[in-house]
Amino acid sequence: MQTIGYKSKGTAAAVALVNAVTGADGDDGPDALRAILRDNEFFWREFEPDDAEDLRAWGRTLRPFFETSDLAEAAAMLNGLMLRIPMHPHIANHEPHGLHMHFAPPSARLPQRFQASTLMNLSELVCRHGLSRTGVCAADGCDRVYADTSRAGRRRFCSEACANRTNVAAFRARRRTLPTADA
Ligand SMILES: [Zn+2]
């Protein structure tokens, strides 16, 4: 299991799902959910309309993990979910990943496999980095969550757009205060 690099899709999938389900501008319709599965290399063709509610419930379940800044609480949350979600780790070998771990039982349906993968990837991220790589976007008025799997790991925003908007606002605020300070 890798949380850094191209096999880290479970972490990105968790972020996309939480934002789709709980974000103010989120879209958790069947097409949007299918796109999240496809973009993150899950077996999106197995998605059926009945799976939508299971996925939405999982997005709501994961939201508090991104919101907490208490490591003990986050670990307890993930541990509780690991006891609840059926796990049966095994080695799989299929495109596009090659050899990798599956965590759900081989017979599990798509939503349960999604739960197991996202949960294990987030847990691995916490073991490596504590809570320094996950959070809620620091931009004013944005409620989207993020996970940073880059090497540098300095991310605080959900997107470049939010980072730029915040930087521009800070720059303007500085410019506004300067003449007053001189006067
Ligand atoms: Zn944002």
PDB file of all heavy atoms in Angstrom, residues 57-58 61 79-87 115 119:
ATOM      1  N   ALA A  57     -23.551   7.827   2.249  1.00  0.00           N
ATOM      2  CA  ALA A  57     -23.444   7.614   3.704  1.00  0.00           C
ATOM      3  C   ALA A  57     -21.968   7.548   4.103  1.00  0.00           C
ATOM      4  O   ALA A  57     -21.573   8.074   5.151  1.00  0.00           O
ATOM      5  CB  ALA A  57     -24.160   6.320   4.099  1.00  0.00           C
ATOM      6  N   TRP A  58     -21.149   6.933   3.253  1.00  0.00           N
ATOM      7  CA  TRP A  58     -19.715   6.833   3.557  1.00  0.00           C
ATOM      8  C   TRP A  58     -19.053   8.207   3.512  1.00  0.00           C
ATOM      9  O   TRP A  58     -18.198   8.522   4.329  1.00  0.00           O
ATOM     10  CB  TRP A  58     -19.060   5.872   2.566  1.00  0.00           C
ATOM     11  CG  TRP A  58     -17.634   5.566   2.885  1.00  0.00           C
ATOM     12  CD1 TRP A  58     -16.556   5.813   2.087  1.00  0.00           C
ATOM     13  CD2 TRP A  58     -17.123   4.936   4.072  1.00  0.00           C
ATOM     14  NE1 TRP A  58     -15.402   5.390   2.712  1.00  0.00           N
ATOM     15  CE2 TRP A  58     -15.721   4.852   3.921  1.00  0.00           C
ATOM     16  CE3 TRP A  58     -17.716   4.457   5.243  1.00  0.00           C
ATOM     17  CZ2 TRP A  58     -14.901   4.291   4.907  1.00  0.00           C
ATOM     18  CZ3 TRP A  58     -16.895   3.911   6.231  1.00  0.00           C
ATOM     19  CH2 TRP A  58     -15.517   3.827   6.043  1.00  0.00           C
ATOM     20  N   THR A  61     -19.822   9.848   6.673  1.00  0.00           N
ATOM     21  CA  THR A  61     -19.072   9.199   7.760  1.00  0.00           C
ATOM     22  C   THR A  61     -17.636   9.715   7.827  1.00  0.00           C
ATOM     23  O   THR A  61     -17.086   9.900   8.918  1.00  0.00           O
ATOM     24  CB  THR A  61     -19.064   7.669   7.543  1.00  0.00           C
ATOM     25  OG1 THR A  61     -20.409   7.193   7.601  1.00  0.00           O
ATOM     26  CG2 THR A  61     -18.225   6.958   8.591  1.00  0.00           C
ATOM     27  N   ASN A  79     -10.080   3.659  13.698  1.00  0.00           N
ATOM     28  CA  ASN A  79     -10.077   2.316  14.300  1.00  0.00           C
ATOM     29  C   ASN A  79     -11.488   1.763  14.428  1.00  0.00           C
ATOM     30  O   ASN A  79     -11.726   0.580  14.167  1.00  0.00           O
ATOM     31  CB  ASN A  79      -9.408   2.363  15.678  1.00  0.00           C
ATOM     32  CG  ASN A  79      -7.893   2.412  15.566  1.00  0.00           C
ATOM     33  OD1 ASN A  79      -7.335   2.056  14.531  1.00  0.00           O
ATOM     34  ND2 ASN A  79      -7.245   2.853  16.629  1.00  0.00           N
ATOM     35  N   GLY A  80     -12.407   2.629  14.840  1.00  0.00           N
ATOM     36  CA  GLY A  80     -13.799   2.201  14.956  1.00  0.00           C
ATOM     37  C   GLY A  80     -14.355   1.744  13.617  1.00  0.00           C
ATOM     38  O   GLY A  80     -15.045   0.718  13.519  1.00  0.00           O
ATOM     39  N   LEU A  81     -14.029   2.482  12.554  1.00  0.00           N
ATOM     40  CA  LEU A  81     -14.507   2.117  11.223  1.00  0.00           C
ATOM     41  C   LEU A  81     -13.854   0.822  10.745  1.00  0.00           C
ATOM     42  O   LEU A  81     -14.493  -0.007  10.100  1.00  0.00           O
ATOM     43  CB  LEU A  81     -14.235   3.252  10.236  1.00  0.00           C
ATOM     44  CG  LEU A  81     -15.080   4.516  10.458  1.00  0.00           C
ATOM     45  CD1 LEU A  81     -14.575   5.658   9.578  1.00  0.00           C
ATOM     46  CD2 LEU A  81     -16.551   4.236  10.179  1.00  0.00           C
ATOM     47  N   MET A  82     -12.572   0.633  11.073  1.00  0.00           N
ATOM     48  CA  MET A  82     -11.891  -0.600  10.648  1.00  0.00           C
ATOM     49  C   MET A  82     -12.502  -1.834  11.308  1.00  0.00           C
ATOM     50  O   MET A  82     -12.450  -2.922  10.761  1.00  0.00           O
ATOM     51  CB  MET A  82     -10.388  -0.512  10.924  1.00  0.00           C
ATOM     52  CG  MET A  82      -9.669   0.258   9.820  1.00  0.00           C
ATOM     53  SD  MET A  82      -7.878   0.199   9.935  1.00  0.00           S
ATOM     54  CE  MET A  82      -7.578   1.600  10.989  1.00  0.00           C
ATOM     55  N   LEU A  83     -13.074  -1.666  12.505  1.00  0.00           N
ATOM     56  CA  LEU A  83     -13.758  -2.792  13.147  1.00  0.00           C
ATOM     57  C   LEU A  83     -15.116  -3.045  12.502  1.00  0.00           C
ATOM     58  O   LEU A  83     -15.605  -4.169  12.483  1.00  0.00           O
ATOM     59  CB  LEU A  83     -13.952  -2.510  14.644  1.00  0.00           C
ATOM     60  CG  LEU A  83     -12.680  -2.592  15.491  1.00  0.00           C
ATOM     61  CD1 LEU A  83     -12.981  -2.156  16.923  1.00  0.00           C
ATOM     62  CD2 LEU A  83     -12.115  -4.007  15.480  1.00  0.00           C
ATOM     63  N   ARG A  84     -15.709  -1.972  11.969  1.00  0.00           N
ATOM     64  CA  ARG A  84     -17.078  -2.064  11.457  1.00  0.00           C
ATOM     65  C   ARG A  84     -17.120  -2.548  10.014  1.00  0.00           C
ATOM     66  O   ARG A  84     -18.046  -3.246   9.606  1.00  0.00           O
ATOM     67  CB  ARG A  84     -17.710  -0.661  11.542  1.00  0.00           C
ATOM     68  CG  ARG A  84     -19.146  -0.647  11.987  1.00  0.00           C
ATOM     69  CD  ARG A  84     -19.659   0.782  12.020  1.00  0.00           C
ATOM     70  NE  ARG A  84     -19.947   1.280  10.681  1.00  0.00           N
ATOM     71  CZ  ARG A  84     -20.111   2.558  10.372  1.00  0.00           C
ATOM     72  NH1 ARG A  84     -19.998   3.472  11.300  1.00  0.00           N
ATOM     73  NH2 ARG A  84     -20.381   2.917   9.133  1.00  0.00           N
ATOM     74  N   ILE A  85     -16.150  -2.111   9.210  1.00  0.00           N
ATOM     75  CA  ILE A  85     -16.152  -2.424   7.780  1.00  0.00           C
ATOM     76  C   ILE A  85     -15.551  -3.821   7.576  1.00  0.00           C
ATOM     77  O   ILE A  85     -14.473  -4.095   8.090  1.00  0.00           O
ATOM     78  CB  ILE A  85     -15.285  -1.395   7.013  1.00  0.00           C
ATOM     79  CG1 ILE A  85     -15.806   0.023   7.238  1.00  0.00           C
ATOM     80  CG2 ILE A  85     -15.209  -1.728   5.530  1.00  0.00           C
ATOM     81  CD1 ILE A  85     -17.203   0.249   6.769  1.00  0.00           C
ATOM     82  N   PRO A  86     -16.225  -4.706   6.853  1.00  0.00           N
ATOM     83  CA  PRO A  86     -15.664  -6.043   6.634  1.00  0.00           C
ATOM     84  C   PRO A  86     -14.324  -5.968   5.891  1.00  0.00           C
ATOM     85  O   PRO A  86     -14.230  -5.341   4.841  1.00  0.00           O
ATOM     86  CB  PRO A  86     -16.723  -6.733   5.764  1.00  0.00           C
ATOM     87  CG  PRO A  86     -17.968  -5.944   5.947  1.00  0.00           C
ATOM     88  CD  PRO A  86     -17.535  -4.532   6.221  1.00  0.00           C
ATOM     89  N   MET A  87     -13.297  -6.598   6.474  1.00  0.00           N
ATOM     90  CA  MET A  87     -11.956  -6.578   5.881  1.00  0.00           C
ATOM     91  C   MET A  87     -11.483  -8.008   5.666  1.00  0.00           C
ATOM     92  O   MET A  87     -11.695  -8.882   6.524  1.00  0.00           O
ATOM     93  CB  MET A  87     -10.974  -5.883   6.822  1.00  0.00           C
ATOM     94  CG  MET A  87     -11.286  -4.435   7.069  1.00  0.00           C
ATOM     95  SD  MET A  87     -10.603  -3.385   5.776  1.00  0.00           S
ATOM     96  CE  MET A  87     -10.788  -1.808   6.604  1.00  0.00           C
ATOM     97  N   GLN A 115     -15.193   1.526   0.504  1.00  0.00           N
ATOM     98  CA  GLN A 115     -15.032   1.841   1.931  1.00  0.00           C
ATOM     99  C   GLN A 115     -13.693   1.311   2.442  1.00  0.00           C
ATOM    100  O   GLN A 115     -12.934   2.026   3.111  1.00  0.00           O
ATOM    101  CB  GLN A 115     -16.169   1.202   2.744  1.00  0.00           C
ATOM    102  CG  GLN A 115     -17.520   1.837   2.514  1.00  0.00           C
ATOM    103  CD  GLN A 115     -18.626   1.095   3.250  1.00  0.00           C
ATOM    104  OE1 GLN A 115     -18.497  -0.082   3.589  1.00  0.00           O
ATOM    105  NE2 GLN A 115     -19.719   1.780   3.496  1.00  0.00           N
ATOM    106  N   LEU A 119     -10.588   3.771   3.557  1.00  0.00           N
ATOM    107  CA  LEU A 119     -10.289   3.712   4.985  1.00  0.00           C
ATOM    108  C   LEU A 119      -8.833   3.332   5.220  1.00  0.00           C
ATOM    109  O   LEU A 119      -8.138   3.950   6.044  1.00  0.00           O
ATOM    110  CB  LEU A 119     -11.223   2.693   5.638  1.00  0.00           C
ATOM    111  CG  LEU A 119     -11.142   2.518   7.144  1.00  0.00           C
ATOM    112  CD1 LEU A 119     -11.327   3.847   7.860  1.00  0.00           C
ATOM    113  CD2 LEU A 119     -12.209   1.528   7.594  1.00  0.00           C
TER     114      LEU A 119
END
